[in-house]
Amino acid sequence: MSSSTDQKITAPYGSWASPITSDVVSGAAKGLGGSAVDDKGQLFWLESRPTESGRSVLVRGGSDENEEASDVTPKEFSVRTVAQEYGGGAFSISGETLVFSNYKDQRLYKQSIDSKDSAPLPLTPDYGGPSVSYADGVYDTPLNRFIAVREDRRESSLNAITSIVSIALGDNSIQEPKVLVEGNDFYAFPRLDPHGKRLAWIEWSHPNMPWDKSELWVGYISDTGGSRQPRLMANNEFHKIKQRFYHCLLAAGELFFVTDRKNGFWNLHRWVESDNTVAPLYSLEAEFAGPLWVFGMNSYEIIKEHKNLIACNYRQKGRSYLGILDKNKNTLSVLETPFTDLRNITSGVRCLYVEGASGVHPTSIAKVTLDDQASNVVDFKIVWSSSPTSSEYKSYFSSPEFIEFPTEVPGEMAYAYHYPPTNPVYQASQQEKPPLLLKSHGGPTAEARGILNLNIQFWTSRGWAFVDVNYGGSTGYGRAFRERLLGKWGIVDVDDCCSCAQFLVNSGKADAERLCITGGSAGGYTTLAALAFKKSFKAGASLYGVADLKLLKEETHKFESRYMDNLVGGDKEFFDRSPINFVNQFSCPIILFQGLEDKVVPPDQARKIYQALKAKRLPVALVEYEGEQHGFRKAENIKFTLEQQMVFFARLVGHFKVADEIVPVKIDNFD
């Protein structure tokens, strides 16, 4: 009897046909910008749609299985803020009122969610352009106003003025927002107690990023609505620590927040006003929060029916867990769900809505129904999926394998997710090792996560091995791992990516002669640095990547303008680690993709590296997209980028012909 393996078609790695096409990938690339529950327990979520040029739409979930979800946002609006360029926290719901940021003009609008024909009404002034943005807002019900972070770029787009402001909700007249807190470089998470008596927030200043050092403050709301007697939640030892605040005053005299002050991991803490003490709710070598790249993140919530219980998620060694923390007993219990990756949590009526994913689930929202004691899951149901048809391709899915690999520093390990080539129809000969595409994530303070991503499955189902690396500097593994990158960006990340590729070669899982590297933004920088300073990879793709660190520092937006001071060092390091200054050391083909409206990594970066490599007679291609910013949101551009990377690698290092009909872009010094 022949085995199923014998019945497969034998063909070279990389040449396999797959139903997971670029159209499937680009159509499944819906993003999630947060979720909320109204007073009636109705779920709302914000989804970005590549098929609508990246428009972000607030959607109301059906009240039962028979009612379909419906759009709340009118066609001429898009719910998105560009505060700190990365946005987030673009909408908030209270009662029947929705307040949201509109992408085109960046003004705040008020809309009734009860009426399907409700037209949004502007709340903030028209300044003649999208020069003032708002994010991360909360309702101050007693004073009928909205409190939010404001980023004002009217005087300088590179040195915006950030503050916490209040916006009147009472009548339909448009008033200038009232400044409540100002004077520092950055603010986030303005949160009120239930009675509107106290306002808490975090703030930080250059050259720090919020995960380097930030301060937690509480002010008292005066009768006229101002913030008075601001109090730093910090005694002599506390104000110097690295800390992260995440939430609001949830009970009289209690403030919950996240800090890594004790054990080097972001754990939940509580401040008790009556005796001015701070203590961890539960200590664990796990991360109960992520880095503040976007506003509005929410990794824990008080359970509505049990005020002593906090639903939370945490990450430990590459996996997420959904937990219930009893703040009175300081105990933590774990709830079982199919998700291995979790992000935001929203508390519903006798349920939780959790944003999550796994190796077989794409990014989704699940309704997690709890028992009366909130100690067990009685029902788990996915109510929204970024790719609702992805299960059709399940037999083609490559499961992520979590790996630890040795770095160049003796005794130090780094982490990655390895996806082997997988296709039920094809196999390669036993003598052949697969080509490998290594992805270096952005940030660089971010984290690769082992979830179903059809972009990755596009490669693996065609016979590529794929590895997503968490190099030193990534989050999810504690402060010590994150701070490996301080002063060493362009060294530790590059070394770890090369070490990971070599580890897979040594393990027999990749062909040493067909190692390719790709990355976007900071991952694009790691890609270019690896190609300039190492010889591990045979080709690379940089998506809106950094080529010139000095130019980036001079041109990028305020939020990240001093980020590199801690990551790189002085002028010499800025020069020595910029790939553009060492074009003579490049020795392999590179393809570059760039949005022409990118404010984070301006287009000159890609153009400089392209011209230099073209002059050096290396195979190089540059693809520029009108209307795209930092990251590609339009379906046609997501599709084109994926296809062109694959055919570029196939033509130049793959030694195979791709099964898809793709017209390649012209490659200078090759075609």
Side-chain angles (χ1 to χ4, degrees), residues 216 231-235 237-239 241 243 253 255-262 267-281 330:
L216 169 60
R231 181 177 185 180
L232 178 64
M233 292 298 94
N235 50 36
E237 57 135 353
F238 197 55
H239 80 280
I241 63 152
Q243 59 177 310
L255 169 66
F256 300 96
F257 60 99
V258 171
T259 172
D260 60 2
R261 65 187 298 231
K262 285 286 187 185
N267 284 188
L268 271 161
H269 286 63
R270 163 171 50 192
W271 171 68
V272 181
E273 183 181 26
S274 57
D275 54 5
N276 193 29
T277 58
V278 170
L281 285 175
N330 293 76

Side-chain angles (χ1 to χ4, degrees), residues 603-656:
D604 280 352
Q605 296 264 324
R607 289 171 180 164
K608 281 183 72 175
I609 205 83
Y610 166 70
Q611 293 295 344
L613 295 176
K614 185 179 176 182
K616 191 178 185 260
R617 309 297 301 167
L618 274 175
V620 63
L622 171 62
V623 178
E624 295 182 324
Y625 296 124
E626 294 278 357
E628 289 284 17
Q629 298 172 316
H630 196 65
F632 306 144
R633 290 178 168 82
K634 298 179 181 178
E636 62 270 25
N637 297 338
I638 295 168
K639 173 185 175 181
F640 194 77
T641 301
L642 192 57
E643 290 179 341
Q644 292 305 321
Q645 281 186 84
M646 174 163 284
V647 77
F648 183 86
F649 293 147
R651 295 179 70 199
L652 290 154
V653 300
H655 311 305
F656 55 80

